[in-house]
């Protein structure tokens, strides 16, 4: 086909809506905003076929389309196992192909701090290194291999720009006040130094650990400084993720300084210290002109600002509570959207890492998951890829593909409009060639991987 390509901005009823017309005369794309161009381009690319003469061709068509949800995301965790710049870009390309538009980037945790912060160089000098790791298949074994990894600010800017070129916005996450072992190992002043047995180190195992930030001036300033640099690095992120999940209270209970802080402010329970941190983050981010998102535990804060986005991971009940309290909600319930969990009991597959809480999250389960929440407060749906048991790209891709296809459907269409399993299964099969051409590993229908694991275990 030879014809004209026209792109027009026009008033459509939804910010991400696009319309597409392919005729013998050419292609006409209409979008409400530039953001929608990426989805229109993906639709066009996916429609390319071969004509009778064996030439690449586009069928005549007319498409009017808009997504159900504005946040269609994947969460990557380079803390437990590093993910290279190139690896991250590969995931971004796969996401863009399926019209996912948000990468939630989990950049710090007990096992490593992965983001260069100019004002606090020890975060990466110390916090990005650990001596070894628990084996991904058998936690009782340590592998004896040191890990040292972080993204420089130049690399972050490069990834952010690359994502933007694909229509993807990155939402960075800084864990506050828990999951803080690496940060506290780098800056002990950040921790509860007077709590018994205080000896922070970058953690080599998996789980939840006691090191949390101390309610002191150093920590409050640290948060302000770090979030300021984060906002500079991620200029398009509408909200910044402040973590807030799984915060043990043990150190606050045993630290005389934390107890004195509570007494001074008339606090009765240690949970109120977490509330204080959450409100501090909200205040800092408001000053920086950004919104705030956090894991659903941040709802323990009374008077959590209404404009806070709640990321509901512990289940749909938490999503419903958040919506009933007037918060916008991003769904990523562990029962259906934790893509680190197995896609079925297939111990013969070389990526199998044992049973876990939810071991049958296959793409059919994702497609059929009930994501309905009364009201219209749900703004997003995402899948999380925690990487304790994901040591390399081969496994990362195996865990993502083809579940990402079902995620994309579930985020684009409300449940009652989604295609059935048979229809999506057929379409997924037709994508195998696209995966193969790009060396993307994926789970085949019999549960085995298309590509074998990397030589490194
Ligand atoms: C989480 O899985 N701890 C958010």
């Amino acid at each position: 086909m030879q014809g004209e390509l026209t792109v027009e901005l026009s008033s459509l009823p939804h910010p991400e809506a696009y319309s597409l017309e392919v005729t013998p005369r050419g292609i006409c794309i209409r979008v409400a905003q530039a953001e929608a161009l990426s989805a229109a381009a993906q639709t066009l690319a996916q429609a390319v076929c071969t004509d009778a003469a064996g030439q690449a061709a586009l069928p005549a068509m007319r498409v009017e389309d808009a997504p159900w949800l504005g946040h269609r995301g994947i969460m990557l965790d380079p803390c437990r196992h590093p993910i290279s710049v190139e690896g991250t870009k590969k995931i971004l390309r796969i996401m863009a192909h399926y019209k996912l538009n948000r990468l939630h980037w989990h950049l710090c945790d007990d096992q490593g701090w992965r983001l260069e912060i100019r004002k606090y160089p020890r975060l990466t000098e110390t916090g990005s290194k650990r001596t070894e790791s628990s084996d991904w298949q058998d936690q009782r074994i340590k592998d004896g291999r040191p890990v040292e990894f972080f993204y420089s600010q130049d690399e972050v800017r490069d990834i952010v720009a690359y994502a933007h070129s694909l229509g993807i916005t990155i939402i960075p996450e800084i864990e506050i006040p828990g999951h803080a072992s690496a940060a506290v190992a780098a800056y002990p002043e950040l921790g509860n130094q007077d709590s018994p047995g205080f000896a922070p180190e970058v953690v080599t195992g998996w789980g939840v650990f006691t090191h949390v930030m101390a309610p002191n001036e150093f920590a409050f300033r640290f948060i302000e400084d770090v979030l300021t640099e984060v906002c500079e690095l991620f200029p398009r992120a509408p909200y910044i993720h402040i973590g807030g999940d799984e915060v043990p209270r043990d150190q606050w209970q045993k630290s005389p300084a934390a107890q004195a802080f509570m007494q001074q402010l008339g606090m009765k329970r240690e949970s109120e210290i977490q509330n204080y941190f959450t409100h501090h983050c909200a205040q800092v981010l408001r000053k920086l002109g950004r919104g705030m998102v956090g894991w659903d535990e941040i709802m323990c804060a009374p008077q959590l600002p209404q404009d806070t986005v709640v990321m509901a991971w512990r289940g749909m009940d938490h999503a419903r509570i958040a919506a009933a309290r007037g918060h916008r909600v991003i769904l990523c319930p562990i029962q259906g959207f934790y893509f680190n969990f197995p896609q079925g009991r297939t111990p013969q597959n070389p990526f199998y890492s044992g049973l876990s809480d939810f071991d049958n999250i296959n793409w059919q389960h994702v497609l059929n998951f009930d994501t309905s929440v009364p009201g219209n407060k749900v703004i997003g749906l995402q899948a999380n890829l925690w990487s304790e048991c994901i040591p390399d790209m081969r496994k990362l891709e195996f865990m993502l593909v083809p579940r990402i296809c079902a995620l994309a459907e579930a985020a684009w269409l409300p449940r009652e409009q989604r295609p059935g399993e048979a229809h999506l299964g057929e379409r997924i099969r037709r994508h195998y060639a696209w995966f193969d051409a790009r060396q993307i590993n994926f789970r085949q229908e019999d549960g085995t991987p298309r590509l074998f694991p990397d030589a490194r275990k």
Side-chain angles (χ1 to χ4, degrees):
M1 190 199 72
Q2 287 172 346
E4 292 211 335
L5 171 66
T6 15
V7 178
E8 291 173 7
L9 276 179
S10 75
S11 59
L12 296 170
H14 185 289
E16 279 192 275
Y18 67 90
S19 80
L20 196 60
E21 209 170 345
V22 180
T23 67
R25 290 181 307 284
I27 300 167
C28 177
I29 301 173
R30 290 193 184 85
V31 291
Q33 293 179 10
E35 281 71 25
L37 266 179
S38 174
Q42 294 299 340
T43 299
L44 267 184
Q46 285 166 23
V48 172
C49 56
T50 38
D51 64 14
Q55 303 270 331
L58 274 173
M61 60 181 176
R62 189 181 160 79
V63 175
E64 295 197 6
D65 203 5
W68 174 44
L69 299 172
H71 176 122
R72 305 178 299 280
I74 293 286
M75 189 214 73
L76 289 182
D77 163 22
C79 301
R80 279 49 180 260
H81 284 100
I83 304 171
S84 68
V85 171
E86 277 317 307
T88 307
K89 289 182 175 178
K90 188 176 183 187
I91 300 298
L92 287 166
R93 288 192 293 276
I94 302 172
M95 287 174 63
H97 188 64
Y98 291 107
K99 303 189 176 99
L100 300 185
N101 65 347
R102 294 282 190 269
L103 174 69
H104 168 180
W105 213 7
H106 184 78
L107 287 165
C108 54
D109 213 306
D110 297 296
Q111 295 82 1
W113 184 286
R114 305 286 175 233
L115 173 66
E116 179 189 10
I117 297 291
R118 295 248 158 84
K119 203 154 184 180
Y120 295 91
R122 296 209 313 261
L123 284 173
T124 42
E125 283 163 13
T126 302
S128 72
K129 300 172 186 167
R130 64 174 187 255
T131 52
E132 58 182 347
S133 312
S134 284
D135 185 274
W136 65 271
Q137 285 178 307
D138 184 349
Q139 291 207 30
R140 293 163 302 180
I141 302 170
K142 290 281 162 89
D143 66 9
R145 275 199 303 266
V147 173
E148 181 177 343
F149 181 80
F150 70 92
Y151 304 101
S152 71
Q153 293 205 349
D154 282 344
E155 287 172 326
V156 169
R157 277 187 280 269
D158 175 42
I159 291 175
V160 167
Y162 188 75
H164 182 62
S165 75
L166 294 169
I168 297 171
T169 302
I170 302 186
I171 308 295
E173 178 185 355
I174 302 297
E175 278 273 21
I176 299 165
H179 285 280
S181 302
V184 175
Y187 290 93
E189 311 91 301
L190 191 57
N192 298 277
Q193 290 179 280
D194 60 351
S195 61
F198 180 83
E201 55 179 23
V202 183
V203 172
T204 60
W206 318 132
V208 175
F209 301 88
T210 54
H211 284 288
V212 297
M213 295 178 186
N216 63 26
E217 280 313 309
F218 182 91
F220 300 139
R221 168 55 62 91
F222 172 91
I223 289 167
E224 184 162 358
D225 292 339
V226 169
L227 291 179
T228 301
E229 279 192 44
V230 164
C231 286
E232 285 164 13
L233 285 169
F234 298 90
R236 293 174 199 275
Y239 29 80
I240 306 293
H241 202 304
I242 59 127
D245 59 321
E246 300 176 322
V247 183
R249 322 286 193 214
D250 318 35
Q251 288 193 333
W252 293 335
Q253 274 159 8
K254 293 175 187 147
S255 152
Q259 289 297 315
F261 177 84
M262 286 176 61
Q263 202 165 24
Q264 210 178 4
L265 278 101
M267 294 178 179
K268 299 206 166 37
R269 285 172 298 276
E270 281 72 21
S271 61
E272 292 173 64
I273 299 181
Q274 177 168 1
N275 298 343
Y276 192 94
F277 273 105
T278 306
H279 280 282
H280 178 65
C281 292
Q283 217 170 36
V284 169
L285 288 171
R286 180 156 298 128
K287 222 165 56 183
L288 291 165
R290 301 305 174 93
M292 182 170 89
V293 53
W295 299 113
D296 57 57
E297 287 97 323
I298 62 169
M299 281 195 289
C300 75
Q303 284 98 45
L304 182 65
Q306 275 271 300
D307 58 357
T308 303
V309 178
V310 172
M311 193 170 267
W313 73 277
R314 288 181 293 173
M316 293 302 289
D317 287 352
H318 295 274
R320 292 188 192 105
I321 292 168
R325 292 189 193 171
H327 296 292
R328 287 171 294 159
V329 184
I330 295 169
L331 306 172
C332 54
I334 188 168
Q335 300 85 354
F337 292 86
Y338 269 40
F339 282 9
N340 42 297
F341 287 138
Q343 305 166 71
R345 294 168 184 242
T346 48
Q348 77 278 13
N349 116 48
F351 294 113
Y352 196 68
S353 51
L355 293 178
S356 46
D357 302 355
F358 304 98
D359 52 21
N360 196 27
I361 303 182
N362 54 19
W363 66 257
Q364 292 88 344
H365 180 79
V366 175
L367 183 71
N368 296 322
F369 198 90
D370 185 359
T371 48
S372 51
V373 175
N376 58 355
K377 301 306 275 185
V378 174
I379 60 163
L381 180 67
Q382 75 173 35
N384 296 340
L385 275 156
W386 299 104
S387 70
E388 288 91 338
C389 299
I390 303 183
D392 54 37
M393 284 300 288
R394 282 280 162 86
K395 181 159 181 190
L396 188 62
E397 291 164 20
F398 176 79
M399 300 306 268
L400 182 62
V401 186
R403 283 190 285 199
I404 191 171
C405 302
L407 168 71
E409 292 294 343
W412 197 270
L413 294 167
R415 189 156 174 249
E416 60 282 2
Q417 293 174 28
R418 284 174 210 156
E421 280 181 26
H423 180 69
L424 184 59
E426 175 52 34
R427 276 166 53 208
I428 288 174
R429 240 168 273 129
R430 280 193 266 127
H431 286 211
Y432 284 9
W434 191 85
F435 304 143
D436 287 339
R438 287 155 188 79
Q439 290 271 301
I440 294 167
N441 194 15
F442 62 93
R443 182 180 192 265
Q444 305 181 112
E445 281 171 90
D446 64 0
T448 60
R450 183 70 141 200
L451 301 171
F452 285 96
D454 284 347
R456 189 178 70 77
K457 204 177 143 198

